[in-house]
């Protein structure tokens, strides 16, 4: 039996730099009168997104994958601008840029849309030492990097392009209907082709996403509807995502139902659904915009690391 590795993953110098980064983030929001919150990490409900898996804690509930739901309930209660800087947990996420437990910064601005919160994200990143953001529309960058117009392409075309990027056709789960096949391969191309190519010289915000990848952001209607969201990539790594938040409870329940159906089609367990956030929306979640940012990834990129582990006090294999 080998002895456990007791030493930290990060050097003392990196740990001190990490502490300064956390302090600088808090100072940034203190100057802007954004309140720091501390919502529970344990919840009676689990994440519904098909690409996420919550960590179970027995009868105690589920560790949160994000403080989003708690923060939005505080917004509905009238707390005003709010943020949280805390650990979050995701099952099965171990790798070069993933750790099952990691630090997330998430904040919300009542009365704002995503252009304003994107500008604030840029201000924060620049203050913390990153270059200014580049901005590009999803349609433009998707066509440039894949050669496809996602609005006209079918699931088979997306699958063929993904196969050219190295993802085998048999990666598609069995039993998906046409809409879910399209969403599966569209999301796969984002991870395989878009993300790794973006933000090489400076962080890049990709704006106005396909409605099928809206998450919990608002969809702007029209002849060419888009999800009012953005994702920021730096050196090929997804760093942050945000947008104008969905505030309609009926639409939220529909998206929960759709996510549950997709989870069943993927062979994943159906987990307890959050009921408090829809109730908060019924009571009156204000129009707002929000952002979630991976703090460990930001530190690693600022310090020039090529993986997450050296930015963590103790990575998963040493925890």
């Amino acid at each position: 039996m080998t002895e456990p590795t007791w030493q930290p993953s990060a050097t003392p110098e990196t740990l001190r730099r990490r502490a300064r980064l956390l302090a600088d983030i808090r100072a940034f929001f203190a100057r802007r009168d954004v309140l720091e919150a501390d919502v529970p990490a344990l919840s009676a409900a689990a994440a519904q997104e098909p690409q996420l898996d919550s960590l179970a804690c027995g009868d105690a509930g589920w560790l949160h994958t994000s403080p989003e739901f708690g923060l939005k309930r505080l917004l509905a209660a009238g707390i005003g601008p709010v943020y949280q800087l805390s650990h979050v947990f995701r099952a099965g996420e171990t790798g070069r840029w993933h750790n099952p437990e990691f630090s997330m910064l998430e904040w919300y601005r009542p009365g704002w849309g995503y252009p304003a919160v994107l500008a604030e994200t840029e201000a924060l990143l620049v203050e913390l030492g990153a270059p200014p953001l580049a901005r590009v529309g999803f349609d433009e960058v998707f066509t440039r990097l894949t050669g496809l117009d996602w609005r006209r392409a079918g699931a088979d075309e997306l699958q063929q392009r993904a196969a050219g990027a190295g993802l085998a056709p048999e990666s598609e789960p069995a039993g998906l209907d046409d809409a879910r096949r399209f969403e599966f391969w569209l999301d796969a191309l984002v991870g395989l082709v878009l993300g790794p190519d973006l933000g090489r010289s400076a962080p890049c915000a990709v704006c106005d996403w396909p409605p099928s990848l809206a998450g919990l952001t608002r969809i702007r209607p029209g002849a060419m509807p888009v999800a009012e969201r953005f994702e920021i990539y730096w050196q090929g790594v997804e760093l942050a995502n945000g947008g104008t938040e969905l505030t309609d409870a009926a639409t939220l329940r529909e998206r929960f139902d759709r996510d549950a159906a997709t989870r069943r089609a993927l062979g994943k367990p159906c987990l307890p659904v959050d009921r408090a956030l829809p109730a908060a929306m019924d009571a009156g979640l204000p129009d707002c915009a929000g952002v979630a940012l991976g703090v460990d990834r930001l530190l690693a990129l600022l310090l020039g690391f090529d993986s997450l582990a050296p930015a963590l006090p103790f990575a998963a294999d040493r925890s």
Side-chain angles (χ1 to χ4, degrees), residues 46-133:
Q48 297 302 305
E49 296 97 323
Q51 70 275 18
L52 296 182
D53 291 303
S54 298
L55 280 167
C57 290
D59 294 337
W62 306 83
L63 289 170
H64 66 182
T65 59
S66 158
E68 176 177 5
F69 287 12
L71 293 177
K72 286 181 175 177
R73 288 166 62 187
L74 292 180
L75 287 174
I79 199 69
V82 64
Y83 80 96
Q84 181 149 323
L85 182 55
S86 63
H87 287 203
V88 298
F89 308 84
R90 297 181 181 181
E93 295 207 0
T94 302
R96 181 181 171 197
W97 290 105
H98 294 85
N99 201 68
E101 179 180 1
F102 61 98
S103 295
M104 177 180 285
L105 166 66
E106 191 154 341
W107 77 97
Y108 292 91
R109 286 286 201 165
W112 286 25
Y114 91 80
V117 82
L118 176 57
E120 184 167 63
T121 306
E122 179 176 29
L124 172 65
L125 290 174
V126 169
E127 183 163 316
L128 296 175
L133 285 177

Side-chain angles (χ1 to χ4, degrees), residues 7-8 14 18-19 41 49 51 78 84 95 109 115 124 133 136 150 153 172 185 187 199-200 204 208 244 274 296 303:
Q7 294 96 339
T14 297
R18 181 184 180 92
E49 296 97 323
Q51 70 275 18
Q84 181 149 323
R109 286 286 201 165
L124 172 65
L133 285 177
V136 65
W150 69 268
E172 178 184 306
W185 290 109
D187 190 51
R200 289 299 173 184
C204 177
D208 292 339
T244 307
D274 184 88
D296 308 308
L303 296 180

Side-chain angles (χ1 to χ4, degrees), residues 9 92-102 191-192 195-198 200 234-238 294-301 303-312 314-317:
S9 309
E93 295 207 0
T94 302
R96 181 181 171 197
W97 290 105
H98 294 85
N99 201 68
E101 179 180 1
F102 61 98
L192 279 170
D197 190 76
L198 294 171
R200 289 299 173 184
W234 192 15
Q235 299 176 42
V237 178
E238 182 189 345
V295 175
D296 308 308
R297 288 184 178 183
L298 175 59
L299 178 62
L301 293 169
L303 296 180
F305 298 153
D306 63 359
S307 66
L308 199 63
L312 299 170
F314 296 96
D317 63 346

Side-chain angles (χ1 to χ4, degrees), residues 33 47 84 160 173 194 205 211 214 261 282 285 287 309 319:
D33 294 322
Q84 181 149 323
Q160 291 169 9
L194 268 68
D282 283 329
L285 177 66
D287 288 341
S319 61

Side-chain angles (χ1 to χ4, degrees), residues 67-271:
E68 176 177 5
F69 287 12
L71 293 177
K72 286 181 175 177
R73 288 166 62 187
L74 292 180
L75 287 174
I79 199 69
V82 64
Y83 80 96
Q84 181 149 323
L85 182 55
S86 63
H87 287 203
V88 298
F89 308 84
R90 297 181 181 181
E93 295 207 0
T94 302
R96 181 181 171 197
W97 290 105
H98 294 85
N99 201 68
E101 179 180 1
F102 61 98
S103 295
M104 177 180 285
L105 166 66
E106 191 154 341
W107 77 97
Y108 292 91
R109 286 286 201 165
W112 286 25
Y114 91 80
V117 82
L118 176 57
E120 184 167 63
T121 306
E122 179 176 29
L124 172 65
L125 290 174
V126 169
E127 183 163 316
L128 296 175
L133 285 177
R135 289 169 171 78
V136 65
F138 183 95
D139 289 7
E140 173 191 342
V141 73
F142 189 85
T143 298
R144 174 167 59 84
L145 294 176
T146 68
L148 298 174
D149 180 347
W150 69 268
R151 295 181 185 274
R152 292 184 171 85
D156 288 342
E157 289 178 275
L158 299 177
Q159 181 192 63
Q160 291 169 9
R161 180 64 182 86
L167 187 62
E170 54 267 28
S171 301
E172 178 184 306
L176 298 183
D177 59 23
D178 288 344
R180 289 185 175 86
R181 286 191 67 231
F182 177 86
E183 183 177 336
F184 175 84
W185 290 109
L186 182 63
D187 190 51
L189 282 172
V190 170
L192 279 170
V193 180
L194 268 68
D197 190 76
L198 294 171
R200 289 299 173 184
S201 58
C204 177
V206 181
C207 305
D208 292 339
W209 282 60
S212 62
L213 302 181
L216 295 186
T217 58
R218 183 177 296 176
I219 295 174
R220 184 168 67 241
M224 301 178 71
V226 296
E228 294 186 344
R229 66 178 292 247
F230 60 86
E231 286 194 359
I232 296 175
Y233 295 86
W234 192 15
Q235 299 176 42
V237 178
E238 182 189 345
L239 182 59
N241 70 82
T244 307
E245 300 298 328
L246 177 69
T247 58
D248 179 71
T251 303
L252 177 66
R253 292 184 177 101
E254 290 173 2
R255 293 191 190 179
F256 279 171
D257 289 344
R258 190 176 188 281
D259 284 344
T262 300
R263 290 185 69 87
R264 287 194 295 271
L266 294 174
K268 290 189 171 187
C270 290
L271 304 176

